[in-house]
Amino acid sequence: MAELMTVGLVSLDNDLGSDKDAVIAALAAVVATEGRSTDVDLLRADLRAREAKSATGMKDGIAIPHCRSASVTEPTLAFARLTPGVDFGAKDGPADLVFLIAAPDGGGNAHLQILAKLARSLVKSEFTDSLRAAATPEDVVAIVRAVVAPPADTGAQASASPVVEHVSAAKRRLVAVTACPTGIAHTYMAAEALEGAAARAGVDIAVETQGSAGAKPLSQATIDAAEAVIFSVDVGVRDRGRFAGKPLVSTSVKRPIDDGDAVIADALRAATDPDAARVEGAAGGGTTDAYASTTGESWGGRTRRVLMTGVSYMIPFVAAGGLLIALGFLLGGYDSANVAGDILVNHTLLDPPSPASYGLDHVAFDSGVLLYLGVLLFVIGKAAFALFVPAFAGYIAYAIADRPGLAPGFIMGALATNLVGFASADDVPVGAAQTGFIGAIVGGVLAGVVALWVSRWKVPTWARGLMPVLVVPLVTSIVAGLVMLLLLGRPITWLMERLNDGLNSMDGSNAIVLGAVLGMMMAFDMGGPLNKVAYSFAVLGIGGASLATGAPELKIMAAVMLGGMVPPIALALATFVRPGLFTPAERENGKAAWLLGASFITEGAIPFAAADPLRVIPAIVLGSGVTGGLAQAFDVGLRAPHGGIFVLFAVDGVAGFMIALVAGVLVSATAVIALKSVGRPVAQPESELAHV
């Protein structure tokens, strides 16, 4: 196993730049120079994408930019002690100690456990003090090695489980779960911070870290003995039903790192408060009880969470399928879909089809090999598309009932699309009714509710082992399946047909209005509920869309993606044209917003909107609405659900795509400049910014 850190990965008291992007770029270059990354640009992009989700600056002058990247060959730590410090978004000021943590995409758990040990040490003052006092890079490497690879006599402690449990009959007891999107750093730093705060409060705590290094679940006995549970997470908690009935304190993964004492105090108060929020379900309900919900959650919030769980698991199927189909059409032409089955069965790579024999005029370079490869990509993409509705329904059920709902949910999704292809025996076969995405939603919810109900049955001890693997999926599939087929299938099919007819009949002003509304929804809350509703509507449509160029669902997808690209690009342009209207931090964010917007990451506009919502939000909503309407007016279609300008090959009407994007960007940039120019405070004299 290669060394996690070497002397060449350490930079002491150097000026790596005036902002975090420059520091990250410099450290990424160090990683590449040391042979740890095969593509420094990809590593920088992955680091910046992670940074865009949430700041990695911590209190006490620490920053931990980190990511998983396909360009990283070995788990790597690069360290910089900065003079002067640089703002990484921490509340208490700039960071002077920066650890860049780079892990291979799909790397092994052993290395990630070492990274977890380092993350835990970063919240200990003796560790950071020694780094600030280190005289040479060799000293830094030795200090880090002492943490991630302790001496042999402490090896047993070093190899301890990710679950840290302290049990004492004389103290109050809490349990906690920590988890962050990447599961590399914040997960373990939050755990360490909670343990330290609990120790200061004289409280016993057991923390389960659900990170990339894996997690050993807390024992049910430990959970049952706890007075309350803390969920410090930015993602869903696995097997949340184990904590059913416990008083709950829910925070972001960063809050314990910033103020662990307050989190522990909140948990102790909740433990004695009869009105405190609780994890849904009966106490001791185990893993088959309700999943990811609390009694304090509103019905609206619960509905959104359930639907977004289904969407989040469905999107990879749609993304992979859409891009593969688009690539297949790029090589074989759109009309190759009509003969894909014959080519797949009757030809091979060594015996490729002749485009002329199939009457295909749009094959790349008129090549039989490329036609065959295009058909293969198309077939793989269609297989992915065939699974996206079952995945959507399955994970809706999973969000309600945990694992017992998963299989019945998938089955309801398969019924919604007639996945098996049942049809009549007529001369012209008529396929079984398809309820589409509405049927997937209804079937998924139905399967989840029935599975949750069945899993709560009181059964003899000998039958408990049969419940999750036999009784729950069998009974749920029968009940939910019969309800869908006998009662709900035909009404939902009728509704879907009316919706499809409405979409197909939309032209002219109606389509333009729809595109404008969807574009404005994408910009209004930049990744929030309205944004997700619009995006989900488009993704579900493209998954079931006709393959024909000009299908209305493809136009909706184009309007939604373009509407989401406008805000970051427009704000980046505004910071370039009129830098004096923006703070130094906003001008730095503007540099990154170019790439974020081009990649369809609407969240790149959030820092601007948070600082000045009354001026920024109306401006970006206006521009995105213009773009969405123009996309429909120009009949722009899109077969890929993500990627921005990097999936132009999947666009029908590239010229219209670019015109709509540029128009919306100009409208938003002009509007935000105009609004900020009215009664604005002086950020910095523009004469001082002539170099920008």
Side-chain angles (χ1 to χ4, degrees):
M1 182 170 75
E3 290 286 351
L4 203 63
M5 172 183 278
T6 62
V7 172
L9 292 167
V10 178
S11 172
L12 294 182
D13 304 321
N14 294 316
D15 185 356
L16 300 185
S18 60
D19 59 77
K20 65 180 181 180
D21 281 344
V23 174
I24 288 173
L27 287 175
V30 169
V31 172
T33 301
E34 289 295 300
R36 302 298 189 97
S37 173
T38 58
D39 186 340
V40 67
D41 291 331
L42 177 58
L43 177 57
R44 287 171 180 159
D46 289 338
L47 286 163
R48 286 169 177 159
R50 170 59 188 88
E51 200 74 21
K53 294 179 181 178
S54 62
T56 56
M58 302 294 153
K59 66 177 182 176
D60 300 327
I62 300 168
I64 50 165
H66 58 278
C67 73
R68 287 175 170 274
S69 177
S71 72
V72 176
T73 58
E74 293 287 346
T76 298
L77 295 177
F79 172 77
R81 190 171 66 200
L82 302 177
T83 305
V86 170
D87 182 13
F88 270 79
K91 296 178 180 178
D92 62 348
D96 64 325
L97 300 181
V98 180
F99 268 103
L100 187 150
I101 307 175
D105 197 8
N109 282 350
H111 291 97
L112 292 171
Q113 288 170 354
I114 294 174
L115 294 174
K117 295 174 187 175
L118 173 72
R120 286 176 175 272
S121 298
L122 289 174
V123 297
K124 297 178 179 178
S125 59
E126 59 269 23
F127 177 68
T128 54
D129 288 345
S130 64
L131 290 173
R132 289 188 172 96
T136 66
E138 288 80 4
D139 291 342
V140 172
V141 173
I143 293 167
V144 173
R145 284 178 180 169
V147 169
V148 300
D153 60 344
T154 60
Q157 180 182 353
S159 60
S161 162
V163 178
V164 182
E165 302 189 20
H166 307 286
V167 179
S168 169
K171 296 182 180 180
R172 299 183 68 178
R173 300 177 184 176
L174 301 173
V175 290
V177 177
T178 61
C180 70
T182 53
I184 295 176
H186 290 81
T187 299
Y188 305 100
M189 294 178 70
E192 187 73 22
L194 286 172
E195 289 160 10
R200 290 190 292 274
V203 177
D204 277 326
I205 191 167
V207 184
E208 177 177 317
T209 53
Q210 296 186 354
S212 295
K216 179 181 177 181
L218 292 167
S219 68
Q220 194 61 47
T222 299
I223 296 172
D224 292 342
E227 298 178 41
V229 58
I230 299 167
F231 289 159
S232 292
V233 297
D234 288 340
V235 294
V237 175
R238 303 172 201 159
D239 295 332
R240 185 167 175 161
R242 295 171 292 155
F243 304 91
K246 291 291 178 186
L248 171 65
V249 171
S250 184
T251 77
S252 69
V253 74
K254 285 188 66 176
R255 189 179 174 221
I257 301 171
D258 293 335
D259 195 358
D261 295 326
V263 176
I264 294 296
D266 289 345
L268 294 175
R269 281 193 295 270
T272 58
D273 182 359
D275 297 323
R278 293 175 182 269
V279 183
E280 186 179 62
T287 61
T288 60
D289 217 323
Y291 181 75
S293 182
T294 68
T295 56
E297 187 178 23
S298 68
W299 277 103
R302 182 175 304 181
T303 301
R304 178 177 178 272
R305 173 182 53 78
V306 167
L307 292 178
M308 287 301 103
T309 298
V311 170
S312 66
Y313 282 100
M314 174 198 75
I315 285 175
F317 291 91
V318 181
L323 289 171
L324 285 167
I325 289 174
L327 286 170
F329 289 161
L330 181 68
L331 297 179
Y334 293 119
D335 45 358
S336 64
N338 300 323
V339 293
D342 188 77
I343 291 175
L344 180 67
V345 171
N346 294 319
H347 294 276
T348 67
L349 193 60
L350 299 178
D351 178 27
S354 167
S357 65
Y358 284 99
L360 302 178
D361 300 324
H362 303 98
V363 179
F365 304 107
D366 201 32
S367 167
V369 172
L370 292 181
L371 170 60
Y372 184 70
L373 291 175
V375 165
L376 294 184
L377 294 176
F378 169 78
V379 169
I380 299 170
K382 283 292 289 182
F385 261 17
L387 293 173
F388 96 85
V389 172
F392 181 48
Y395 283 99
I396 285 176
Y398 176 73
I400 297 171
D402 203 355
R403 284 191 298 269
L406 192 58
F410 265 84
I411 293 170
M412 296 308 104
L415 291 176
T417 58
N418 190 22
L419 188 65
V420 183
F422 290 112
S424 68
D426 301 331
D427 293 337
V428 180
V430 177
Q434 296 189 36
T435 55
F437 74 89
I438 294 180
I441 293 172
V442 174
V445 170
L446 180 62
V449 170
V450 173
L452 183 60
W453 170 63
V454 175
S455 68
R456 289 174 169 174
W457 287 357
K458 302 298 182 182
V459 297
T461 302
W462 62 266
R464 290 177 184 171
L466 296 175
M467 290 294 289
V469 297
L470 176 62
V471 177
V472 175
L474 177 62
V475 173
T476 302
S477 298
I478 291 174
V479 173
L482 289 176
V483 169
M484 290 300 296
L485 291 175
L486 295 176
L487 300 178
L488 302 179
R490 293 187 184 278
I492 295 176
T493 299
W494 177 87
L495 178 60
M496 283 296 299
E497 289 173 350
R498 302 290 81 73
L499 287 175
N500 287 332
D501 290 343
L503 278 178
N504 289 323
S505 65
M506 270 196 168
D507 53 15
S509 60
N510 289 334
I512 293 172
V513 169
L514 176 63
V517 169
L518 291 172
M520 290 188 287
M521 291 174 67
M522 290 299 295
F524 181 75
D525 54 0
M526 296 153 286
L530 276 179
N531 174 285
K532 288 295 185 289
V533 167
Y535 182 66
S536 301
F537 174 67
V539 168
L540 289 166
I542 192 178
S546 164
L547 294 175
T549 300
E553 294 87 349
L554 303 182
K555 298 178 184 178
I556 290 171
M557 187 71 249
V560 164
M561 183 181 290
L562 282 164
M565 293 169 65
V566 165
I569 299 176
L571 290 163
L573 178 61
T575 62
F576 178 79
V577 174
R578 292 291 302 276
L581 296 175
F582 299 89
T583 65
E586 287 174 330
R587 292 195 290 271
E588 291 302 321
N589 287 330
K591 296 174 183 177
W594 290 107
L595 180 60
L596 293 173
S599 304
F600 182 40
I601 301 175
T602 315
E603 289 82 351
I606 289 177
F608 302 91
D612 193 3
L614 295 181
R615 291 182 176 91
V616 170
I617 292 178
I620 60 177
V621 167
L622 177 62
S624 290
V626 169
T627 290
L630 287 176
Q632 289 282 8
F634 292 140
D635 291 330
V636 180
L638 179 63
R639 298 174 184 275
H642 214 290
I645 64 171
F646 302 103
V647 290
L648 285 179
F649 65 84
V651 172
D652 299 329
V654 174
F657 182 97
M658 298 306 299
I659 292 171
L661 178 61
V662 171
V665 167
L666 292 176
V667 168
S668 282
T670 302
V672 78
I673 289 171
L675 291 173
K676 279 183 170 288
S677 298
V678 177
R680 67 179 179 91
V682 178
Q684 183 173 336
E686 293 195 33
S687 59
E688 299 177 16
L689 301 167
H691 65 282
V692 179

XYZ file of all heavy atoms in Angstrom, residues 52 519 522-527 531 560-577 582 586-609 616-617 619-621 623-624 627 642 644 661 664-666 668-669 672:
487
model
N -18.582 23.192 -3.953
C -19.818 23.907 -4.262
C -20.991 23.409 -3.425
O -21.959 24.139 -3.204
C -20.140 23.775 -5.750
N -38.653 27.013 -16.694
C -37.384 27.721 -16.543
C -37.354 28.556 -15.276
O -36.352 28.569 -14.545
N -36.885 26.426 -12.190
C -35.505 25.977 -12.018
C -34.653 27.037 -11.339
O -33.732 26.725 -10.567
C -34.897 25.622 -13.382
C -35.463 24.382 -14.019
S -35.195 22.888 -13.029
C -33.406 22.762 -13.087
N -34.937 28.317 -11.611
C -34.103 29.392 -11.079
C -34.553 29.866 -9.710
O -33.731 30.372 -8.943
C -34.102 30.576 -12.051
N -35.810 29.707 -9.373
C -36.354 30.383 -8.195
C -35.639 29.979 -6.908
O -35.278 30.830 -6.096
C -37.854 30.102 -8.070
C -38.476 30.791 -6.885
C -38.723 32.152 -6.910
C -38.800 30.077 -5.740
C -39.275 32.793 -5.822
C -39.358 30.708 -4.648
C -39.594 32.069 -4.688
N -35.459 28.662 -6.683
C -34.810 28.267 -5.432
C -33.544 27.440 -5.651
O -33.000 26.872 -4.705
C -35.780 27.522 -4.513
C -36.436 26.329 -5.192
O -36.140 26.080 -6.375
O -37.246 25.655 -4.535
N -33.062 27.366 -6.906
C -31.716 26.866 -7.203
C -31.384 25.546 -6.507
O -30.428 25.459 -5.740
C -30.681 27.928 -6.809
C -30.789 29.197 -7.608
S -30.172 30.639 -6.703
C -31.496 30.899 -5.522
N -32.129 24.524 -6.783
C -31.880 23.230 -6.165
C -32.863 22.883 -5.065
O -32.822 21.784 -4.517
N -37.334 23.756 -7.824
C -36.349 23.295 -8.799
C -36.464 21.790 -9.003
O -36.474 21.297 -10.142
C -34.956 23.688 -8.298
C -33.825 23.148 -9.152
O -33.514 21.971 -9.086
N -33.188 24.026 -9.920
N -35.891 22.780 -19.288
C -35.521 22.677 -17.876
C -34.005 22.788 -17.697
O -33.519 23.520 -16.829
C -36.052 21.355 -17.294
C -35.374 21.017 -15.979
C -37.559 21.439 -17.094
N -33.240 22.064 -18.514
C -31.783 22.145 -18.354
C -31.271 23.549 -18.664
O -30.442 24.101 -17.934
C -31.072 21.117 -19.228
C -29.546 21.127 -19.021
S -28.618 19.953 -20.034
C -29.109 18.406 -19.305
N -31.747 24.130 -19.735
C -31.309 25.479 -20.082
C -31.687 26.481 -18.992
O -30.892 27.361 -18.635
C -31.924 25.902 -21.414
C -31.258 25.304 -22.660
C -32.157 25.459 -23.877
C -29.906 25.962 -22.904
N -32.905 26.352 -18.455
C -33.320 27.245 -17.374
C -32.431 27.126 -16.151
O -32.167 28.120 -15.465
N -31.938 25.924 -15.878
C -31.051 25.729 -14.739
C -29.629 26.183 -14.982
O -28.882 26.444 -14.022
N -29.220 26.303 -16.228
C -27.867 26.749 -16.547
C -27.725 28.264 -16.465
O -26.627 28.786 -16.223
C -27.478 26.275 -17.950
C -27.320 24.771 -18.088
S -27.181 24.243 -19.819
C -25.616 25.006 -20.290
N -28.812 28.984 -16.670
C -28.744 30.447 -16.778
C -28.227 31.136 -15.512
O -27.338 31.996 -15.588
C -30.119 31.010 -17.195
C -30.183 32.515 -16.971
C -30.397 30.680 -18.653
N -28.766 30.836 -14.299
C -28.391 31.646 -13.132
C -26.890 31.733 -12.856
O -26.353 32.846 -12.721
C -29.161 30.972 -11.985
C -30.368 30.392 -12.646
C -29.861 29.885 -13.968
N -26.152 30.618 -12.775
C -24.724 30.762 -12.471
C -23.961 31.510 -13.566
O -23.100 32.353 -13.265
C -24.238 29.307 -12.350
C -25.450 28.493 -12.119
C -26.540 29.186 -12.860
N -24.266 31.223 -14.833
C -23.538 31.880 -15.922
C -23.848 33.375 -15.936
O -22.946 34.214 -16.133
C -23.896 31.233 -17.278
C -23.506 29.754 -17.293
C -23.192 31.963 -18.414
C -23.914 29.022 -18.558
N -25.108 33.738 -15.725
C -25.483 35.154 -15.733
C -24.791 35.916 -14.612
O -24.304 37.043 -14.810
C -27.000 35.284 -15.596
N -24.705 35.317 -13.430
C -24.053 35.987 -12.310
C -22.545 36.056 -12.515
O -21.893 37.035 -12.117
C -24.408 35.275 -11.011
C -25.879 35.484 -10.607
C -26.321 34.460 -9.581
C -26.086 36.888 -10.068
N -21.982 35.024 -13.143
C -20.563 35.089 -13.480
C -20.295 36.232 -14.446
O -19.322 36.986 -14.300
C -20.112 33.758 -14.086
N -21.162 36.381 -15.438
C -21.010 37.475 -16.404
C -21.159 38.829 -15.710
O -20.398 39.776 -15.990
C -22.055 37.328 -17.509
C -22.073 38.428 -18.584
C -20.742 38.473 -19.325
C -23.223 38.198 -19.561
N -22.110 38.941 -14.799
C -22.326 40.207 -14.103
C -21.109 40.596 -13.267
O -20.718 41.762 -13.220
C -23.567 40.111 -13.214
N -20.490 39.617 -12.606
C -19.296 39.928 -11.808
C -18.130 40.344 -12.693
O -17.253 41.099 -12.260
C -18.872 38.726 -10.949
O -18.537 37.618 -11.794
C -19.978 38.313 -9.992
N -18.118 39.872 -13.935
C -17.045 40.241 -14.868
C -17.272 41.637 -15.440
O -16.336 42.437 -15.550
C -16.985 39.212 -15.999
C -15.939 39.513 -17.040
C -14.610 39.223 -16.807
C -16.289 40.092 -18.245
C -13.640 39.503 -17.764
C -15.344 40.386 -19.208
C -14.007 40.082 -18.968
N -18.525 41.931 -15.777
C -18.833 43.214 -16.408
C -18.819 44.354 -15.399
O -18.293 45.441 -15.672
C -20.207 43.138 -17.116
C -20.620 44.503 -17.658
C -20.153 42.122 -18.251
N -20.135 43.860 -6.618
C -20.075 42.612 -5.865
C -18.925 42.651 -4.863
O -17.916 43.334 -5.070
C -19.899 41.424 -6.818
C -21.023 41.264 -7.807
C -20.987 41.913 -9.033
C -22.114 40.479 -7.503
C -22.019 41.783 -9.943
C -23.159 40.344 -8.405
C -23.118 40.998 -9.629
N -17.891 37.370 -3.609
C -18.796 37.113 -4.734
C -18.032 37.106 -6.052
O -18.344 36.316 -6.955
C -19.897 38.167 -4.769
C -20.935 37.996 -3.666
C -21.939 39.134 -3.626
O -21.573 40.275 -4.003
O -23.081 38.890 -3.217
N -17.041 37.979 -6.188
C -16.251 37.974 -7.425
C -15.490 36.664 -7.586
O -15.355 36.141 -8.702
C -15.298 39.175 -7.434
C -16.026 40.508 -7.546
C -15.074 41.638 -7.907
N -14.160 41.987 -6.842
C -14.420 42.890 -5.891
N -15.596 43.515 -5.879
N -13.527 43.178 -4.970
N -14.998 36.121 -6.476
C -14.322 34.823 -6.551
C -15.317 33.716 -6.897
O -15.023 32.820 -7.690
C -13.629 34.520 -5.218
C -12.439 35.407 -4.926
C -11.383 35.330 -6.016
O -11.147 34.232 -6.534
O -10.810 36.374 -6.376
N -16.509 33.765 -6.301
C -17.542 32.774 -6.635
C -17.933 32.869 -8.105
O -18.276 31.864 -8.741
C -18.778 32.981 -5.762
C -18.572 32.530 -4.329
O -17.798 31.607 -4.078
N -19.227 33.188 -3.394
N -17.881 34.095 -8.652
C -18.221 34.277 -10.057
C -17.299 33.524 -10.988
O -17.720 33.047 -12.053
N -16.025 33.385 -10.597
C -15.080 32.648 -11.449
C -15.479 31.181 -11.563
O -15.376 30.579 -12.634
C -13.669 32.780 -10.881
C -13.138 34.214 -10.875
C -11.781 34.295 -10.171
C -11.290 35.735 -10.106
N -10.006 35.855 -9.369
N -15.888 30.596 -10.446
C -16.308 29.195 -10.476
C -17.677 29.018 -11.121
O -17.983 27.950 -11.663
C -16.329 28.630 -9.055
N -18.511 30.068 -11.072
C -19.883 29.949 -11.580
C -19.934 29.718 -13.084
O -20.898 29.140 -13.591
C -20.685 31.201 -11.218
N -18.907 30.149 -13.821
C -18.883 29.870 -15.266
C -18.995 28.369 -15.519
O -19.843 27.912 -16.287
C -17.587 30.391 -15.893
C -17.443 31.875 -15.982
C -16.624 32.667 -15.228
C -18.131 32.761 -16.883
N -16.758 33.980 -15.595
C -17.666 34.080 -16.614
C -19.077 32.578 -17.876
C -18.119 35.188 -17.310
C -19.538 33.689 -18.576
C -19.069 34.966 -18.294
N -18.111 27.606 -14.886
C -18.090 26.160 -15.114
C -19.307 25.491 -14.504
O -19.875 24.559 -15.094
C -16.809 25.557 -14.528
C -16.642 24.042 -14.694
C -16.642 23.658 -16.176
C -15.364 23.568 -14.031
N -19.735 25.952 -13.317
C -20.902 25.342 -12.683
C -22.141 25.501 -13.557
O -22.909 24.549 -13.746
C -21.136 25.970 -11.306
C -20.056 25.695 -10.248
C -20.327 26.512 -8.991
C -20.000 24.216 -9.919
N -22.337 26.697 -14.100
C -23.491 26.903 -14.963
C -23.405 26.106 -16.245
O -24.389 25.503 -16.683
N -22.216 26.087 -16.844
C -22.044 25.326 -18.083
C -22.279 23.843 -17.866
O -22.661 23.123 -18.783
C -20.641 25.562 -18.641
N -22.072 23.367 -16.631
C -22.267 21.954 -16.301
C -23.671 21.655 -15.796
O -23.942 20.533 -15.385
C -21.247 21.531 -15.238
O -19.935 21.785 -15.660
N -24.567 22.674 -15.798
C -25.934 22.521 -15.291
C -25.939 22.233 -13.790
O -26.588 21.323 -13.303
C -26.678 21.416 -16.061
C -28.126 21.228 -15.641
C -28.939 22.309 -15.358
C -28.674 19.963 -15.536
C -30.267 22.129 -14.967
C -29.999 19.763 -15.155
C -30.790 20.854 -14.867
N -25.183 23.032 -13.042
C -25.208 22.977 -11.584
C -25.767 24.320 -11.113
O -25.029 25.276 -10.886
C -23.813 22.700 -10.990
C -23.265 21.371 -11.521
C -23.873 22.665 -9.460
C -21.852 21.057 -11.095
N -27.085 24.397 -11.002
C -27.750 25.655 -10.678
C -27.325 26.187 -9.317
O -27.370 27.403 -9.075
C -29.277 25.455 -10.702
O -29.639 24.703 -11.859
C -30.010 26.778 -10.736
N -26.910 25.286 -8.427
C -26.532 25.700 -7.082
C -25.368 26.687 -7.064
O -25.109 27.323 -6.033
C -26.173 24.472 -6.232
C -27.351 23.601 -5.850
C -27.778 22.621 -6.930
O -27.251 22.726 -8.071
O -28.620 21.764 -6.675
N -24.663 26.846 -8.191
C -23.590 27.826 -8.255
C -24.058 29.251 -8.040
O -23.257 30.145 -7.745
N -25.369 29.485 -8.152
C -25.919 30.834 -7.939
C -26.304 31.088 -6.490
O -26.628 32.227 -6.130
C -27.146 31.040 -8.831
N -26.284 30.070 -5.651
C -26.777 30.215 -4.276
C -26.025 31.275 -3.478
O -26.650 32.076 -2.770
C -26.761 28.850 -3.552
C -27.851 27.941 -4.138
C -26.957 29.020 -2.050
C -27.879 26.551 -3.550
N -24.670 31.338 -3.516
C -23.990 32.364 -2.704
C -24.449 33.785 -3.029
O -24.553 34.627 -2.133
C -22.510 32.157 -3.054
C -22.415 30.736 -3.497
C -23.701 30.459 -4.197
N -24.731 34.060 -4.296
C -25.191 35.393 -4.695
C -26.605 35.661 -4.183
O -26.899 36.741 -3.667
C -25.164 35.525 -6.219
C -23.815 35.300 -6.828
C -23.422 34.038 -7.241
C -22.926 36.352 -7.003
C -22.183 33.823 -7.805
C -21.687 36.153 -7.566
C -21.311 34.886 -7.970
N -27.481 34.654 -4.342
C -28.867 34.823 -3.910
C -28.964 34.940 -2.393
O -29.792 35.693 -1.869
C -29.715 33.661 -4.409
N -31.199 39.506 -6.653
C -30.668 38.423 -7.483
C -31.770 37.485 -7.968
O -31.845 37.140 -9.156
C -29.587 37.633 -6.713
C -29.200 36.368 -7.473
C -28.362 38.506 -6.482
N -32.650 37.053 -7.073
C -33.640 36.035 -7.450
C -34.585 36.525 -8.557
O -34.800 35.808 -9.545
C -34.411 35.543 -6.213
C -33.459 34.758 -5.300
C -35.588 34.655 -6.624
C -34.100 34.272 -4.013
N -34.002 38.633 -10.860
C -33.229 38.760 -12.096
C -32.984 37.407 -12.749
O -33.151 37.251 -13.965
C -31.893 39.457 -11.802
N -32.594 36.411 -11.948
C -32.299 35.107 -12.555
C -33.577 34.384 -12.964
O -33.590 33.636 -13.950
C -31.440 34.232 -11.620
C -32.148 33.960 -10.286
C -30.079 34.880 -11.374
C -31.373 33.036 -9.354
N -34.665 34.596 -12.218
C -35.949 33.995 -12.612
C -36.395 34.554 -13.962
O -36.871 33.805 -14.833
C -37.011 34.250 -11.523
C -38.408 33.933 -12.044
C -36.716 33.408 -10.292
N -34.490 35.787 -16.431
C -33.667 35.251 -17.513
C -33.948 33.793 -17.806
O -34.010 33.372 -18.964
N -34.143 32.982 -16.757
C -34.432 31.560 -16.975
C -35.792 31.369 -17.632
O -35.980 30.446 -18.442
C -34.380 30.810 -15.639
O -33.064 30.729 -15.166
N -35.279 32.019 -21.285
C -34.594 30.894 -21.914
C -35.519 29.701 -22.107
O -35.530 29.065 -23.171
C -33.377 30.484 -21.056
O -32.390 31.506 -21.139
C -32.778 29.172 -21.537
N -28.740 15.453 -17.926
C -27.748 16.263 -17.221
C -26.538 16.453 -18.126
O -26.390 15.765 -19.130
C -27.323 15.587 -15.909
C -27.019 16.562 -14.812
N -25.916 17.377 -14.825
C -27.691 16.852 -13.666
C -25.912 18.130 -13.736
N -26.980 17.836 -13.013
N -25.251 19.781 -19.224
C -25.063 21.123 -19.757
C -24.493 21.117 -21.165
O -24.899 20.331 -22.030
N -29.905 30.003 -24.559
C -29.024 30.138 -23.396
C -28.424 31.543 -23.321
O -28.462 32.200 -22.267
C -27.916 29.089 -23.457
C -26.875 29.133 -22.335
C -27.533 28.919 -20.979
C -25.788 28.081 -22.578
N -31.074 34.266 -22.365
C -31.428 34.267 -20.952
C -30.311 34.792 -20.071
O -30.557 35.518 -19.097
N -29.070 34.417 -20.397
C -27.927 34.899 -19.627
C -27.822 36.421 -19.711
O -27.604 37.110 -18.703
C -26.626 34.226 -20.120
C -25.396 34.943 -19.573
C -26.605 32.757 -19.719
N -27.989 36.968 -20.906
C -27.905 38.422 -21.079
C -29.027 39.137 -20.328
O -28.802 40.181 -19.694
C -27.947 38.778 -22.563
C -26.713 38.357 -23.385
C -26.925 38.675 -24.857
C -25.454 39.037 -22.863
N -30.698 38.042 -17.619
C -30.452 37.957 -16.180
C -29.298 38.847 -15.755
O -29.376 39.539 -14.729
C -30.162 36.505 -15.777
O -31.340 35.753 -15.693
N -28.200 38.812 -16.513
C -27.045 39.629 -16.147
C -27.403 41.112 -16.171
O -27.046 41.873 -15.262
C -25.878 39.342 -17.091
N -29.723 41.868 -13.115
C -29.065 41.889 -11.808
C -28.163 43.112 -11.677
O -28.064 43.726 -10.597
C -28.289 40.576 -11.561
C -26.973 40.527 -12.307
C -28.031 40.381 -10.072
